[in-house]
Amino acid sequence: MFGSESGYNAHAVRLGILTALTGVVCFAADYTPAAVEAGKAQFLDACAACHGTNGEGGFGPSLVDGREVRRADDEQLFKSIQQGVSGADMPPFSFPDEQIWNLVGFVRSLSAPAVESNVDGDAAAGEALFFGAGGCVGCHRIRGRGGLLGPDLSVIGSSRRIDQILEALLDPNARITAGFAAATLDGNVRAVVKNHTNFSAQVLDSSGRLHLLRGDELERLRFEGESWMPRDVATRLEDHLVRDLVAFLSRQAAR
Amino acid sequence: MRLLLCALVLSAAAIGQIDEAAILEGAGDDWLTYSGDYASLRHSSLDQINRENVGSLVTKWVYHVPGARRLETTPLVYDGVMYLTNTNELHALDAGTGRRIWTYVAEAPRRAQNRGAALWGDAVFFLAADCHLVKLDRLTGALIWTREFASYEEGYYTSLAPLIVKGQVLVGTAGGGTGQRGFVAALSTDTGEELWRFWTVPAEGEPGSETWGGFPSKWGGAPTWTTGSYDPELNLIYWPTGNPWPDFYGGRRRGDNLYSNSVLALDADTGEMKWYFQFTPHDTHDWDANEQLVLVDREYNGEMRKLMLHADRNGFYYLLDRETGEYLQATRFVERLDWATGIDESGRPIEVPGLEPTPAGVKVCPSVRGATNWMSPSINPEIGLLYVVTLEMCDIYTGSAKEPVPSSGFRGGGSQQIPSEPGQFYLRALDSLSGEIRWEYKMTGPATMWAGTVSTAGGLVFTGDDDGALVALDARTGEALWHFSMGNTLYASPMTFTADGKQYVTIATANDVFTFGLFSD
C-alpha cells in the first residue's frame, strides 16, 4: 500500500530521483548556489526556530507560500532581517551584510516558482497527458476546463515550487490543499469539503452542487481522511511521463 | 427539518445562471450587482427586519480578511453565497455562517482598494488593481482567464466593481490624479475581448477637444473610478467621470475640460455617446463627479419623466432627464458651499470669482473630500427620500503653476484641513424631487469615514457612521432605532440579503466583515 511506511519510503526515494532528473533549479536566479547553500545553513541556525526548518512556518509565518516574500523586494527582505519587523516578533539580526544577503537568497529560493525552473520534459506531451490518458482533467481545472474535486491548476507554475508539484503528484496525501479534503455525501456522492466547523459545512460535490450544511445536516457527510487524488500516479506513470507532466504544469503561470 | 429543506434548496439552486433578468429583479433575497440593481437604488424589498424588530439585531458572524487595511467592498450574494473583495482578492463565503468557501488571490501590485465584484452566468468577475479583469468559476474560484485592459506601467490602476450589461463587463480606471486619460470599456464576458471603448477626454480635433486650451488629451484625466448605472429600456449606460488634470491648477487647460466631472450616457451596444452633462466645468478643486447615479421614473411638473438623481461632490443635488440629458434643477444640500451662488437655467454653476486655488491658499467650501463622495446613497421609492451621506467641511486650496509632469504624482497643488473647523458628517434625507432636506442624522466622530447606506422595505435606512458603528434609522423620520459599534473606521457601504430564508445586513469595516440578523432567528 502507498500509505505504508515502506511504500512511502519508496516514493520518497523516487521523488528524489525525479527531482534530480528534472534538473530542478530551486534557488533564486540572482543568487549563486553556493550563496543559497550558505544562507540555508545560517537559516537552520538562526531562523528555523520560528519559521520551521523547511521554512513552512511555525511560531513565525510560512516563507514558502510565496505571498509575503514575493511582495517584498530584496532590499525589503534584507531590512526585515537586519532591523526586524516592527509590530511583530521578528527580532533584528546583527549578521554581516554578506550573510544577510545569503539569507535573502535562501528565503527567495523557498518560494521560487516552478515557472522559473528549468524542467527537462516535453510540455506538449504533458498537456496531452493532462487532458487525455492521464485523466487529470477529470478533477483538476486549467483556465476553466476540467473538474471540480481537485485544486485549480491555472497558475500552479507561478504559485508552487517544482518539488511541491512533484510531491503533490507522487505523494498526494502528504499534505492536502485546504478546501480539498475528500468526503462522501449521503453515502454515495463524491465531494470536497471547502470548510467546516462543528456547526456548519460548505461542501462541493462532483456535479458542481454546493451544499451549505447546518447542524444535524453534518451527519450526511463522511470524511475520507485524504484527498481524491489517485495514490498510484507514481507507479502508473513512467518517469519520463512524470517529467512531461511537470514540465506542462510548471508552465501554468499567472497571466 | 427546516434546516434540511434550506440546504436542499440551496444546493439545487446553486447551478442557476445569473443574467440580466435576474439583476433587473432588484435587490431582494440576492444582491447581484454593486448597487443592488442597475438603477443604483440600493433599496431592498426585504422587510423581515423592520422598524418594529430592528432593536433586536445581533451580530451573527464576523469574517476577518487577513492583511486588509481598508475594505471598501460591497459584497454580492447569490443563492446563499457571498462574494467580497479586498485588493487583488476575492473571497466566497457561506453567507449564512461567514465560513470561507474559497479565496482567489491575484498576483498583482497592491496599489488600490477594491469595491466589489460582478456576477454573470456561472462566473464571478473582479478587477485586479493593475487593470486586469479576472474571470473565476463562481463555485470553485478556479481561474478562467484574465485580461489586461490598461497599462499599470503607464500609471493606470483600478478600484471599482465592474458592471455587467448585455454580456459585457464594463470597466473603468483610476489614475486621473496623475493625468491618465480616462475611459469606459466593454469587455466580453465570454472571452475578455474588448468590444468598445469611450475615452472621457476627446482626442485632438474631436468635438470637445476645443475645451482644453491645447492641453494634451493623453493627460487630461477624467477617470472613471466608480460603477455606473444602466437603463435597459433606453439601452443607455450612465457613467460618471472624475476631475481634469492637474487637479488644482487650471491655467494650462483653459476651458470647460470636457468630459471631466460629467455624466456620460453611452449606447449599451456600441459605447457611442448619446449625451453628456457636466456638473463642474473646469474643476480646480478635485470635485470628481464619480458619485452614484440613481435612476427613477417619477412625475415631475405634471409629467412622467425618466429621471437621474445625483448628489455631487460639488455640493449640489441635480435632477436630469436621463433620456435626453436635459437639466431640470439643482439645489444645494450642504451649508458649507461658497464656490457658486447657484446653478443657472442651463445647468451651469454661477461661480463666485476669486476662489481658484492660489500659491498662498484660499479657503473654499466644500472640502476636497466633497459634500459627498463615492459612499453610496440609497433611495426608498415608496417614501421618495434619497439618503445621502454628507460632509460639512471647507479646506484651504493651494495651486501651483509649475510645468505639470505626468505620472509623477504632480497634481498642481493640494488642499489642507482647517484645524479650527473640523468636518461634520450627516446622513441627510433629501426629497428626491425638490431636493429639500426632510431630516438629518448628525454623526459623532473625527470626519474620517467613507461609509454609505442601504434602504429597505422594512422602513429602514442603514448607514455606517463616523464613529465606526452601523446605525439603523427610521426611513421616514431619521430616528435612530439601533446601532452597533464595530470599533473600526468604515470605508464601505452596507447591503442586505437572505440566507437560509432569513434576512441579514452586512457591512465591511477596515478589515472585517460584520453580518447582523434578528436575535430570535
Side-chain angles (χ1 to χ4, degrees):
Chain A
M1 288 292 291
F2 180 82
S4 68
E5 189 175 337
S6 59
Y8 178 84
N9 287 339
H11 292 300
V13 170
R14 187 152 181 248
L15 181 66
I17 294 169
L18 279 166
T19 303
L21 286 173
T22 49
V24 170
V25 183
C26 272
F27 47 80
D30 294 340
Y31 298 91
T32 66
V36 172
E37 273 305 309
K40 180 179 180 180
Q42 192 155 10
F43 183 92
L44 290 172
D45 289 341
C47 314
C50 288
H51 291 288
T53 53
N54 55 8
E56 291 185 1
F59 182 72
S62 170
L63 305 173
V64 171
D65 69 11
R67 287 180 192 162
E68 293 299 326
V69 174
R70 282 185 211 144
R71 280 176 187 161
D73 59 29
D74 284 2
E75 284 70 27
Q76 289 170 317
L77 289 177
F78 183 95
K79 192 180 286 186
S80 294
I81 297 169
Q82 186 183 56
Q83 301 178 7
V85 177
S86 176
D89 285 332
M90 172 88 172
F93 290 88
S94 55
F95 300 138
D97 284 4
E98 183 185 351
Q99 291 183 20
I100 295 180
W101 284 120
N102 290 344
L103 272 172
V104 171
F106 176 67
V107 168
R108 280 255 179 263
S109 78
L110 290 172
S111 62
V115 68
E116 293 177 6
S117 298
N118 178 23
V119 180
D120 179 23
D122 183 341
E127 181 176 8
L129 188 64
F130 183 91
F131 288 108
C136 316
V137 74
C139 286
H140 292 285
R141 191 171 279 217
I142 290 181
R143 304 272 161 175
R145 184 180 168 197
L148 302 164
L149 297 183
D152 178 39
L153 302 181
S154 298
V155 295
I156 191 73
S158 57
S159 59
R160 293 286 190 277
R161 296 190 317 246
I162 203 83
D163 56 308
Q164 291 173 312
I165 295 175
L166 270 170
E167 181 188 71
L169 267 172
L170 303 178
D171 190 8
N173 291 310
R175 66 193 83 220
I176 298 173
T177 303
F180 290 93
T184 301
L185 193 65
D186 301 328
N188 60 2
V189 178
R190 298 211 313 168
V192 286
V193 180
K194 311 307 289 184
N195 208 341
H196 80 287
T197 67
N198 290 332
F199 312 103
S200 75
Q202 295 71 36
V203 181
L204 184 68
D205 74 25
S206 56
S207 69
R209 291 191 174 196
L210 186 64
H211 303 262
L212 305 178
L213 306 181
R214 308 282 188 264
D216 293 344
E217 285 290 298
L218 296 179
E219 294 173 9
R220 295 169 57 194
L221 207 56
R222 186 182 76 227
F223 286 85
E224 301 296 335
E226 54 188 22
S227 78
W228 290 115
M229 179 78 178
R231 291 172 292 178
D232 62 352
V233 172
T235 53
R236 199 153 51 89
L237 297 183
E238 298 171 17
D239 286 357
H240 71 94
L241 294 177
V242 174
R243 280 201 301 274
D244 294 345
L245 200 49
V246 173
F248 168 65
L249 292 174
S250 68
R251 286 163 172 74
Q252 305 311 305
R255 300 176 177 178
Chain B
M1 177 56 80
R2 186 180 174 192
L3 289 174
L4 171 63
L5 286 174
C6 288
L8 290 174
V9 168
L10 285 170
S11 61
I15 56 174
Q17 299 283 310
I18 300 162
D19 57 15
E20 185 162 309
I23 297 173
L24 283 170
E25 285 181 14
D29 290 332
D30 296 323
W31 187 282
L32 296 180
T33 191
Y34 176 69
S35 292
D37 58 27
Y38 282 132
S40 300
L41 303 182
R42 272 191 178 262
H43 176 77
S44 169
S45 61
L46 298 178
D47 60 2
Q48 284 183 21
I49 300 169
N50 52 51
R51 281 174 295 180
E52 282 68 42
N53 61 19
V54 69
S56 66
L57 272 192
V58 293
T59 308
K60 291 294 184 177
W61 54 259
V62 180
Y63 179 75
H64 177 64
V65 180
R69 289 181 294 184
R70 180 171 164 146
L71 292 175
E72 297 186 357
T73 185
T74 293
L76 305 181
V77 169
Y78 178 63
D79 270 331
V81 179
M82 176 178 286
Y83 302 89
L84 60 93
T85 57
N86 183 22
T87 306
N88 299 329
E89 298 175 8
L90 206 161
H91 301 243
L93 313 182
D94 179 339
T97 65
R99 299 294 294 176
R100 183 180 63 247
I101 299 171
W102 54 260
T103 299
Y104 177 86
V105 180
E107 291 291 337
R110 292 179 67 83
R111 171 68 190 269
Q113 309 311 316
N114 190 288
R115 303 206 181 86
L119 292 163
W120 191 260
D122 54 8
V124 56
F125 299 79
F126 82 112
L127 303 182
D130 59 349
C131 298
H132 283 67
L133 172 63
V134 181
K135 180 179 182 180
L136 303 173
D137 179 273
R138 181 165 53 76
L139 285 177
T140 63
L143 176 67
I144 299 174
W145 45 251
T146 63
R147 292 289 181 274
E148 183 180 25
F149 59 89
S151 171
Y152 179 74
E153 287 68 30
E154 291 179 6
Y156 283 104
Y157 62 99
T158 193
S159 54
L160 80 167
L163 181 72
I164 302 186
V165 168
K166 303 176 85 169
Q168 307 167 107
V169 190
L170 303 173
V171 299
T173 66
T178 49
Q180 277 64 28
R181 184 187 184 199
F183 64 84
V184 181
L187 311 180
S188 164
T189 52
D190 291 332
T191 64
E193 175 193 4
E194 184 166 317
L195 304 172
W196 53 258
R197 174 180 294 215
F198 182 86
W199 291 100
T200 59
V201 180
E204 283 71 8
E206 291 181 354
S209 61
E210 72 282 0
T211 66
W212 284 87
F215 194 79
S217 62
K218 185 179 181 184
W219 302 114
T224 48
W225 52 272
T226 51
T227 307
S229 304
Y230 167 54
D231 183 333
E233 289 183 13
L234 297 176
N235 199 40
L236 289 178
I237 293 159
Y238 304 99
W239 214 275
T241 68
N243 62 280
W245 184 81
D247 307 32
F248 300 99
Y249 181 73
R252 297 177 194 275
R253 48 174 174 81
R254 299 191 184 281
D256 282 354
N257 308 144
L258 295 175
Y259 300 100
S260 65
N261 296 50
S262 301
V263 53
L264 309 171
L266 306 177
D267 183 286
D269 296 314
T270 65
E272 179 190 356
M273 187 174 72
K274 297 298 184 183
W275 57 261
Y276 75 92
F277 179 84
Q278 188 175 42
F279 299 100
T280 311
H282 189 73
D283 174 32
T284 52
H285 300 93
D286 194 10
W287 289 330
D288 305 70
N290 298 86
E291 300 73 43
Q292 296 295 293
L293 305 163
V294 180
L295 315 183
V296 295
D297 294 350
R298 294 286 299 276
E299 188 174 305
Y300 180 80
N301 286 347
E303 184 185 352
M304 279 301 290
R305 302 288 288 264
K306 292 181 177 296
L307 301 177
M308 173 183 292
L309 317 178
H310 176 76
D312 196 90
R313 193 161 159 177
N314 71 12
F316 288 96
Y317 169 64
Y318 292 80
L319 261 64
L320 304 179
D321 181 314
R322 72 172 183 274
E323 191 166 4
T324 63
E326 178 190 358
Y327 164 78
L328 300 177
Q329 67 178 53
T331 51
R332 59 193 291 166
F333 62 94
V334 284
E335 288 291 320
R336 295 189 178 183
L337 190 167
D338 63 5
W339 69 281
T341 56
I343 306 294
D344 72 17
E345 291 182 357
S346 70
R348 192 176 184 87
I350 306 164
E351 295 196 44
V352 174
L355 294 183
E356 293 252 328
T358 63
V362 58
K363 178 181 173 182
V364 183
C365 316
S367 73
V368 72
R369 295 170 63 193
T372 188
N373 207 302
W374 57 264
M375 54 278 274
S376 292
S378 58
I379 187 169
N380 186 316
E382 295 172 13
I383 302 174
L385 295 181
L386 181 77
Y387 307 103
V388 182
V389 172
T390 301
L391 177 61
E392 294 278 6
M393 192 171 178
C394 309
D395 272 345
I396 303 293
Y397 290 83
T398 56
S400 165
K402 288 180 183 171
E403 182 73 30
V405 181
S407 296
S408 67
F410 179 84
R411 301 181 70 177
S415 66
Q416 68 180 52
Q417 299 181 19
I418 306 168
S420 60
E421 299 180 26
Q424 172 63 56
F425 269 111
Y426 296 84
L427 177 66
R428 288 190 165 133
L430 309 185
D431 181 303
S432 57
L433 288 183
S434 71
E436 180 186 348
I437 299 172
R438 289 296 177 82
W439 57 256
E440 66 182 20
Y441 173 75
K442 185 177 182 180
M443 301 180 187
T444 58
T448 55
M449 71 92 166
W450 297 81
T453 69
V454 64
S455 163
T456 77
L460 299 169
V461 56
F462 290 87
T463 184
D465 87 354
D466 195 25
D467 258 339
L470 181 65
V471 184
L473 304 162
D474 185 312
R476 292 182 183 276
T477 67
E479 180 187 0
L481 302 174
W482 171 89
H483 71 278
F484 183 88
S485 176
M486 293 165 285
N488 211 336
T489 307
L490 303 177
Y491 302 97
S493 299
M495 49 79 71
T496 185
F497 62 94
T498 65
D500 305 335
K502 302 169 190 170
Q503 184 182 357
Y504 295 94
V505 180
T506 287
I507 187 169
T509 69
N511 47 25
D512 292 305
V513 178
F514 279 73
T515 290
F516 303 90
L518 292 172
F519 178 74
S520 57
D521 287 338

